[in-house]
């Protein structure tokens, strides 16, 4: 079974600084997707960024970028120029065969 | 236009009652899911349906029964509610594995 591990239960960052959230996963598949979801206190699950495993180029979405290391099975999220609105729980997730498996989440606090 | 809508958003009920949560998606996705988020925020899949056919049925009590009348709807019926069923339940949909879209969640509180 696929597993997703987020080793940082909590992180904090100063406003305007950069923070990196870690994620590792375990799979024997070669074709899959990786995601980062944000869950603010409103509890809505918001897709932040998506990476297709067959693409070597790291995905970017404005201030959000990933470092995808397929051989190491690592998928970290970098948030640049952190804003107060980035404060939320962040979940790393693995998707394959129509099943999405989540990590345990990282609670990000942004300090003014 | 809400892509994945689930109702109700909040549900407070007594132990032993039966309740349903409804979900509808207007994205044309072929697969729909129910996820449970526990008090520690851990998200775990419960069920998935592909074109009205059950394809994933994780280890959940058989008091939980999903129903998919068509590929745009997936409802969750829970019989004989227990205190431990209190959680947030998310409906989601996807087209293959490309993108998963979630509803806003239903917070179920059993008292």
């Amino acid at each position: 079974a696929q597993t997703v591990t987020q080793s940082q239960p909590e992180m904090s960052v100063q406003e305007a600084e950069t923070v990196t959230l870690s994620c590792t996963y375990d799979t024997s598949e070669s074709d899959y997707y990786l995601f980062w979801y944000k869950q603010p206190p409103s509890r809505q699950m918001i897709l932040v960024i998506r990476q297709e495993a067959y693409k070597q180029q790291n995905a970017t979405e404005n201030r959000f970028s990933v470092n995808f290391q397929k051989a190491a099975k690592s998928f970290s999220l970098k948030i640049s120029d952190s804003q107060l609105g980035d404060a939320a729980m962040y979940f790393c997730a693995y998707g394959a065969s129509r099943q999405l498996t989540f990590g345990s989440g990282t609670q990000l606090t942004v300090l003014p | 236009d809400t892509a994945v809508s689930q109702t109700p958003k909040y549900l407070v009920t007594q132990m032993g009652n039966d309740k349903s949560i409804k979900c509808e998606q207007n994205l044309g996705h072929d697969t729909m899911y129910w996820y449970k988020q526990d008090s520690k925020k851990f998200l775990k899949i419960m069920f998935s349906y592909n074109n009205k056919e059950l394809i994933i049925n994780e280890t959940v009590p058989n008091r939980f029964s999903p129903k998919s009348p068509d590929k745009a709807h997936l409802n969750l019926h829970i019989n004989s509610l227990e205190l431990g069923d209190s959680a947030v339940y998310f409906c989601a949909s996807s087209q293959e594995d490309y993108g998963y879209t979630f509803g806003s969640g239903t917070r179920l509180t059993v008292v």
Side-chain angles (χ1 to χ4, degrees), chain B residues 9-24:
Chain B
K9 291 193 182 336
Y10 297 93
L11 188 51
V12 181
T13 188
Q14 289 188 323
M15 281 176 54
N17 284 350
D18 302 340
K19 290 293 177 186
S20 293
I21 306 172
K22 295 187 175 182
C23 180
E24 176 182 3

Side-chain angles (χ1 to χ4, degrees), chain A residues 37 39 43 50 97-98 100, chain B residues 9 31 35 97-98 100 105:
Chain A
Y37 280 88
Q39 187 178 39
R43 81 167 179 249
R50 166 180 42 231
S97 304
R98 293 192 177 89
L100 194 62
Chain B
K9 291 193 182 336
T31 308
Y35 279 83
D97 294 301
Y98 181 72
Y100 293 75

Side-chain angles (χ1 to χ4, degrees), chain A residues 56-73:
Chain A
Q56 291 188 330
Q57 186 172 5
N58 289 325
T60 60
E61 286 287 342
N62 300 315
R63 299 181 296 106
F64 299 87
S65 61
V66 298
N67 183 1
F68 173 46
Q69 303 287 328
K70 190 172 184 179
K73 296 179 183 171

Side-chain angles (χ1 to χ4, degrees), chain A residues 3-4 9 16 25-26 32 35 37 51 56 64-65 70 73 80 84-86 91 97 99 105 107:
Chain A
T3 57
V4 179
Y25 60 96
D26 187 26
Y32 51 88
F35 306 87
Y37 280 88
Q51 175 78 44
Q56 291 188 330
F64 299 87
S65 61
K70 190 172 184 179
K73 296 179 183 171
S80 304
L84 294 177
D86 295 333
F91 291 98
S97 304
Q99 183 167 354
Q107 182 69 50

Side-chain angles (χ1 to χ4, degrees), chain A residues 33 35 37 39 42-45 47 50 52 89 91 95-104 107, chain B residues 9-10 30-31 33 35 37 41 43 45 50 56 88 90 96-100 102-105 107:
Chain A
Y33 290 84
F35 306 87
Y37 280 88
Q39 187 178 39
S42 67
R43 81 167 179 249
Q44 181 70 45
M45 294 291 289
L47 178 65
R50 166 180 42 231
E52 297 161 72
M89 179 74 93
F91 291 98
S97 304
R98 293 192 177 89
Q99 183 167 354
L100 194 62
T101 303
F102 286 91
S104 54
Q107 182 69 50
Chain B
K9 291 193 182 336
Y10 297 93
D30 62 2
T31 308
Y33 311 81
Y35 279 83
Q37 186 172 42
K41 300 286 186 85
L43 281 148
I45 191 166
N50 177 247
I56 292 175
V88 178
F90 284 98
E96 306 265 344
D97 294 301
Y98 181 72
Y100 293 75
F102 285 79
S104 56
R107 180 176 293 282

